[in-house]
Amino acid sequence: MNKNIFVVGFMLFAIFFGAGNLIFPPALGLSSGQFFWPAIFGFVITGIGLPLIGVIAGSIEDKGYRASLGKIHPVFAVVLLVAISLTIGPLFAIPRTAATSFEMGITPIFDTNSSMALFIFSLVYFAIVFYLSFNSSKMVDKVGAVLTPVLLISIVLLIIKAFFSIGGEPVVPGEMEVYSSGATSFGKGFVEGYLTMDAIAAIAFSMIVITAIKSKGVTRETGLFKQTILAGVIAAIALGFIYISLGWIGNHMNISDATLKELNDNGQNIGTYLLTTAAQVSFGEFGKYLIGIIVALACLTTATGLIVSVSEFFHEILPKISYKWFVTIFTLVSFIISNQGLTTVIQGSLPVLLVLYPIAITSVLLILLGKYVKTPPIAQQLAVALVTIISFISVFNSNGVINIEFMQELPLAQYQMEWIPFAIVGYIIGFIIGKVKNQAPIEYS
């Protein structure tokens, strides 16, 4: 394993290491109680394992996912990529960076969570994002190159100090009505991992990794696929250490019911509270200033990078609309949505992610399978179609839009994974149909 792989591996880590993702493991650790380990294992699969697989699958075709998804169906490729770009862009991920920065940088320091404070902060925040995105992104690369190591070092120091500060504390009871067994806790953690958005972000960002590896002189013939895997493993190990450690910290932080009620009443995110409290326990009053400032700056560069990449993508598919117009529109939309508050943004994203994730996971696995197994197109198309239908029905049913009682009786429904059997059955039936019709298999590079 040479130096270049480590360089690309840590670059990949920097792409996925968003400060917003730090708030989910502590909250999961607190709520899962004695079932922390199955819950965090489920979280790691969707929060780290799937992004790793997503990046690897993206290296199969030279043109990335636009080419590989297009082999399932060209229209499907465009629709899915647009949906993913909007999700990791102005609808959820970008507003979340501003709301997270506010709750970790402003709320603990100034002891305020008011709508006006959020409005003023997000106005300044997105004015800076707009300036950086509208002009050169090189400034962002330079700032990010400094901030990511600083943030990483700070988090590692926080983890080490917190281990000594709260290591002797007992495991918190957790939400026993939700985390009632190892299996249900795994399923809950699996779905919680959706909130990182990294698995679908991997589809959007895979070309960045491929380009970086190619810039080191690596080609498809000299091991592009293998080096992508190795770089992904390096990033996954680093992310796994941080997620599990932060989850463990939350699992040992005893927060009173009165405090939890106050947080919920004020609409404040529990994960941000746990992280800033851990920083204060570890470093005293200085801790909340340190973590607040670093997280705010890290979120700023993440938001700018997302605005740039999403605007470039939409300009590519709609060239008549200029890149700068997309920057203006997406910045404004992100600003408006961020003012709904972090908890509202996260809650609003979950139904969308419960639809997108099964489709994205199925597509990625079908592409990987198609590389090694000669698969007729109808097998992939039928699998994706069934997963899409069942995902929409499941979300509509769970949110009361429709009422289909037997949905709860489907295999794996209690773990919110009822789409998996449909993906398998769809693939098998489609495979048989394709063979009977002598359909030519999909060819991947």
Side-chain angles (χ1 to χ4, degrees):
M1 190 179 293
N2 57 41
K3 178 184 175 182
N4 289 337
I5 294 176
F6 281 97
V7 171
V8 176
F10 280 105
M11 182 208 71
L12 179 57
F13 165 82
I15 291 174
F16 287 126
F17 188 66
N21 293 0
L22 297 175
I23 65 179
F24 301 119
L28 180 65
L30 178 70
S31 59
S32 59
Q34 63 176 320
F35 294 108
F36 166 70
W37 288 109
I40 198 68
F41 182 60
F43 182 90
V44 165
I45 288 178
T46 44
I48 301 175
L50 292 180
L52 170 60
I53 294 173
V55 170
I56 293 170
S59 67
I60 291 176
E61 291 288 331
D62 278 327
K63 294 184 179 180
Y65 276 104
R66 288 199 68 178
S68 54
L69 289 172
K71 291 182 178 180
I72 297 177
H73 196 282
V75 175
F76 167 73
V78 173
V79 171
L80 181 60
L81 290 174
V82 166
I84 287 173
S85 296
L86 290 174
T87 301
I88 65 168
L91 296 185
F92 300 113
I94 296 173
R96 192 174 75 186
T97 64
T100 301
S101 300
F102 176 76
E103 287 210 9
M104 296 188 71
I106 301 300
T107 298
I109 295 173
F110 296 98
D111 193 27
T112 179
N113 197 35
S114 71
S115 299
M116 181 55 68
L118 175 59
F119 177 85
I120 295 171
F121 172 82
S122 59
L123 185 64
V124 174
Y125 180 92
F126 280 110
I128 298 172
V129 169
F130 178 78
Y131 171 76
L132 294 174
S133 305
F134 203 75
N135 295 277
S136 174
S137 62
K138 290 182 179 179
M139 183 186 303
V140 182
D141 295 335
K142 292 178 180 178
V143 175
V146 174
L147 286 177
T148 298
V150 171
L151 178 60
L152 176 58
I153 291 170
S154 301
I155 294 298
V156 171
L157 289 175
L158 168 61
I159 289 170
I160 294 172
K161 190 72 169 62
F163 270 125
F164 288 102
S165 300
I166 66 173
E169 297 294 324
V171 173
V172 296
E175 300 175 9
M176 298 304 296
E177 67 279 5
V178 178
Y179 298 88
S180 56
S181 69
T184 55
S185 298
F186 172 82
K188 179 67 174 174
F190 190 91
V191 174
E192 287 289 311
Y194 290 178
L195 294 172
T196 66
M197 300 190 195
D198 283 344
I200 57 175
I203 293 177
F205 294 151
S206 61
M207 281 304 298
I208 298 175
V209 180
I210 295 169
T211 302
I213 295 176
K214 285 182 176 179
S215 70
K216 308 298 182 183
V218 180
T219 64
R220 187 169 302 281
E221 291 73 24
T222 58
L224 176 65
F225 189 70
K226 179 182 177 182
Q227 293 215 16
T228 303
I229 293 175
L230 293 174
V233 168
I234 292 171
I237 291 172
L239 286 169
F241 168 75
I242 291 175
Y243 285 171
I244 293 172
S245 299
L246 291 176
W248 184 91
I249 290 172
N251 194 236
H252 289 75
M253 291 186 67
N254 197 353
I255 308 299
S256 68
D257 292 338
T259 300
L260 288 175
K261 185 179 184 303
E262 183 181 352
L263 291 172
N264 290 324
D265 290 344
N266 294 333
Q268 188 175 346
N269 182 268
I270 294 173
T272 60
Y273 175 82
L274 290 171
L275 199 57
T276 52
T277 301
Q280 285 182 266
V281 170
S282 301
F283 297 105
E285 193 68 13
F286 172 71
K288 66 180 181 182
Y289 293 96
L290 175 66
I291 196 99
I293 293 171
I294 292 175
V295 166
L297 291 174
C299 282
L300 189 70
T301 57
T302 299
T304 306
L306 287 172
I307 287 283
V308 170
S309 61
V310 173
S311 298
E312 288 177 346
F313 169 74
F314 276 92
H315 175 59
E316 183 180 338
I317 62 175
L318 296 171
K320 291 185 178 180
I321 303 176
S322 71
Y323 162 79
K324 291 185 177 182
W325 265 111
F326 279 120
V327 169
T328 304
I329 294 168
F330 292 152
T331 303
L332 181 60
V333 172
S334 299
F335 165 70
I336 294 171
I337 294 177
S338 70
N339 275 269
Q340 304 303 308
L342 181 58
T343 300
T344 302
V345 172
I346 292 173
Q347 289 175 344
S349 68
L350 188 55
V352 177
L353 295 174
L354 286 172
V355 171
L356 269 185
Y357 255 82
I359 299 170
I361 294 169
T362 302
S363 301
V364 168
L365 294 179
L366 286 172
I367 291 168
L368 280 173
L369 184 62
K371 177 178 173 63
Y372 299 103
V373 179
K374 293 187 180 300
T375 304
I378 193 171
Q380 294 189 336
Q381 292 163 357
L382 187 56
V384 168
L386 288 179
V387 168
T388 301
I389 293 169
I390 200 66
S391 296
F392 272 105
I393 292 175
S394 179
V395 169
F396 288 153
N397 193 61
S398 61
N399 285 275
V401 178
I402 57 177
N403 185 19
I404 304 177
E405 293 184 5
F406 75 85
M407 287 293 295
Q408 300 302 319
E409 305 302 322
L410 291 174
L412 303 180
Q414 59 180 318
Y415 312 120
Q416 294 181 289
M417 301 180 197
E418 62 274 10
W419 55 271
I420 294 177
F422 285 87
I424 297 171
V425 170
Y427 178 83
I428 293 173
I429 294 174
F431 195 93
I432 294 172
I433 294 173
K435 289 297 182 181
V436 170
K437 291 187 173 182
N438 201 26
Q439 198 176 57
I442 295 175
E443 295 291 338
Y444 290 102
S445 301

